[in-house]
Amino acid sequence: MDIMLILQVIVLLGAIYVGIRLGGIGIGYAGGLGVVILGLCLGMKPGSIPWDVILIIMSVIAAISAMQLAGGLDYLVQIAEKILRSNPKHINYLAPTVTYFLTILAGTGHTAFSMIPVIVEVAKEQNIKPSSPLSIAVVASQIAITASPVSAAVVYMSGVLEPLGWSYPLLLGIWIVTTFAACMLTAFIMTLITDLDLSKDKVYQERLAAGLVNPPKGAQHIELKPGAKLSVGIFLIGVLLVVLYATAISKIGGKPVFIENVIVPRDAAIMSFMLGVATFITMLCKIEVGKIGESSVFKSGMVACVCVLGVAWLGNTFVGGYTNEIKGLAENWVKAIPALLAVVFFLAAMLLYSQAATAKAITPVAVAALGISAANPGDAYMLVASFAAVSALFVLPTYPTLLGAVQMDDTGTTRLGKYIFNHAFLVPGVLAIAISVALGFLIAPMFA
């Protein structure tokens, strides 16, 4: 290992560390600074910026922001709260189910923000530590990105795998089954191994004595705006059209399902459909366009875009400088133990802070290393099976929904440890990804 490599690794990890310390959008800022230092001081060519990932995130966030302003998110939260309160003792299963399907629908895990206060309230009413359902729910909202038909990660990965014989509907089916089953199995395991009795938690008792814990308020009635239900209907139609179009242009057995000469590719279709959805919501629900930029979803979505820009660009710059070396290691390790591809995805996701950016940075290297091609697609099932591992955004306690869960749990049971990694989300997150990958390696070869 030469001195230049050591310095480049120090800059890479140093930028990530500074970003973690800054928090929020600062992670993106520090990533851009790292690119400057690697390029101007250490001679590395700046990597590619994942524009397609950023633009898909922006367009989806634009549609969800319009729906939020029309009251659609309040309506969805109202439905979700009814589901949670229908059987509150099973909140460990219902909470991740709700956040999972909200992410599937919206293509972003930021929708989990709206559910965190509800989960805390219901858990307190049942004398259950909120940390248990919250940790599983946040992890479920992240892993569901790898099964959402409108997420940038799924769009990219399906584009890579389709020429290798994997159709879009088949991929969605495998990823939804494996990831959701993994979330439910994780909830089962965490329920068995966790002491759920809130009254026994020392931190909770201290906060309760200090008057820092708000008493449960019970079900809250939200006065819906006139266009709330209509906005959700428009958004659902948009998502359905995305799925139908993506299926129509996909290929099964090398033959197109419906459309042979594809003029609008899948990523462009998602962007245009989502912007179209935002247009119809704006017109038909009569919302004020000027207020869309003030919505919480829009702000958090734009922060996510900057984070992806900075951190993914930094990661691509470093990976691009050592493509051949990484390719050689991947070829030796992954061929010997296929599941190690999931480990590579997992470790990269910790640093790149985005499922889509991780998939885009690592997949081409893995494809080249394994010699996968349209003529020789034999090992492509490894990519299908390992895809869920790009969701390891919970490892470093910096992701917005993770921090939101810590801040909104006034009982103090959802907390960060002194040693960075010992937080409430690590064990359920690792379990969910490990089970997803294991199920993937069990199911995917059946369709190879």
Side-chain angles (χ1 to χ4, degrees):
M1 183 180 292
D2 59 27
I3 186 65
M4 188 61 74
L5 174 58
I6 294 172
L7 291 174
Q8 289 164 348
V9 171
I10 289 174
V11 171
L12 173 70
L13 299 180
I16 293 169
Y17 175 76
V18 170
I20 291 171
R21 296 287 294 178
L22 291 174
I25 200 170
I27 295 172
Y29 293 163
L33 176 62
V35 173
V36 170
I37 298 172
L38 287 178
L40 296 183
C41 303
L42 299 176
M44 296 195 83
K45 183 180 178 181
S48 59
I49 299 174
W51 288 117
D52 51 349
V53 172
I54 294 170
L55 292 174
I56 289 173
I57 293 173
M58 287 177 65
S59 58
V60 172
I61 288 297
I64 298 173
S65 300
M67 182 172 69
Q68 181 185 28
L69 198 59
L73 278 188
D74 288 337
Y75 177 54
L76 289 176
V77 169
Q78 200 173 77
I79 295 173
E81 183 170 6
K82 288 179 180 178
I83 294 172
L84 290 180
R85 292 187 181 280
S86 65
N87 204 337
K89 291 183 179 179
H90 293 131
I91 190 172
N92 270 12
Y93 299 95
L94 295 177
T97 298
V98 167
T99 56
Y100 179 92
F101 283 105
L102 278 176
T103 300
I104 287 278
L105 170 67
T108 170
H110 290 291
T111 51
F113 270 120
S114 58
M115 290 311 306
I116 291 173
V118 180
I119 294 170
V120 172
E121 285 293 307
V122 175
K124 285 195 294 187
E125 290 170 10
Q126 297 298 314
N127 193 40
I128 293 173
K129 290 181 182 178
S131 59
S132 184
L134 278 179
S135 60
I136 307 167
V138 168
V139 166
S141 72
Q142 293 183 1
I143 202 168
I145 289 291
T146 60
S148 170
V150 292
S151 75
V154 167
V155 172
Y156 171 76
M157 207 65 174
S158 60
V160 171
L161 289 165
E162 192 173 77
L164 304 177
W166 296 83
S167 69
Y168 178 78
L170 175 60
L171 290 171
L172 273 185
I174 292 173
W175 290 333
I176 289 174
V177 168
T178 55
T179 56
F180 183 67
C183 289
M184 291 300 98
L185 287 170
T186 298
F188 175 72
I189 294 169
M190 293 305 298
T191 301
L192 286 180
I193 67 175
T194 306
D195 181 3
L196 299 177
D197 192 338
L198 176 60
S199 62
K200 293 181 180 178
D201 189 87
K202 292 182 180 179
V203 174
Y204 166 68
Q205 290 296 343
E206 291 172 1
R207 291 180 63 83
L208 188 64
L212 299 175
V213 181
N214 296 318
K217 300 175 183 177
Q220 300 295 302
H221 176 71
I222 302 173
E223 192 66 38
L224 296 176
K225 295 180 180 179
K229 295 180 181 180
L230 177 60
S231 68
V232 172
I234 294 171
F235 190 85
L236 286 173
I237 290 171
V239 173
L240 180 61
L241 289 175
V242 166
V243 174
L244 292 176
Y245 181 79
T247 301
I249 65 173
S250 66
K251 296 180 180 180
I252 298 178
K255 297 180 179 180
V257 176
F258 290 113
I259 303 173
E260 186 169 359
N261 298 318
V262 178
I263 298 174
V264 181
R266 189 175 288 120
D267 54 351
I270 287 181
M271 286 184 269
S272 56
F273 276 126
M274 287 296 102
L275 293 176
V277 163
T279 303
F280 281 113
I281 291 175
T282 302
M283 291 191 304
L284 299 178
C285 299
K286 299 178 181 179
I287 62 175
E288 294 183 44
V289 179
K291 291 185 177 180
I292 291 177
E294 301 171 9
S295 69
S296 60
V297 169
F298 187 87
K299 290 176 181 177
S300 62
M302 292 308 105
V303 167
C305 287
V306 174
C307 291
V308 170
L309 169 61
V311 178
W313 195 12
L314 173 66
N316 286 343
T317 297
F318 183 82
V319 170
Y322 293 96
T323 300
N324 292 332
E325 290 82 356
I326 294 172
K327 190 185 299 182
L329 287 173
E331 186 172 8
N332 294 330
W333 291 357
V334 176
K335 279 190 174 180
I337 307 175
L340 282 179
L341 177 57
V343 176
V344 174
F345 275 142
F346 186 97
L347 295 175
M350 289 170 50
L351 305 179
L352 296 181
Y353 209 63
S354 163
Q355 293 94 335
T358 301
K360 193 163 186 179
I362 301 300
T363 301
V365 176
V367 168
L370 295 171
I372 299 172
S373 65
N376 181 33
D379 291 331
Y381 76 91
M382 296 182 190
L383 295 170
V384 180
S386 302
F387 181 43
V390 302
S391 301
L393 280 59
F394 56 82
V395 178
L396 297 174
T398 56
Y399 201 73
T401 47
L402 188 153
L403 294 176
V406 173
Q407 292 165 2
M408 293 183 205
D409 179 9
D410 60 356
T411 68
T413 61
T414 310
R415 47 188 179 260
L416 304 178
K418 296 180 181 179
Y419 307 106
I420 300 178
F421 295 105
N422 59 327
H423 52 77
F425 307 87
L426 186 65
V427 173
V430 172
L431 272 174
I433 285 181
I435 295 171
S436 292
V437 172
L439 291 174
F441 274 99
L442 183 67
I443 295 173
M446 300 178 185
F447 300 94

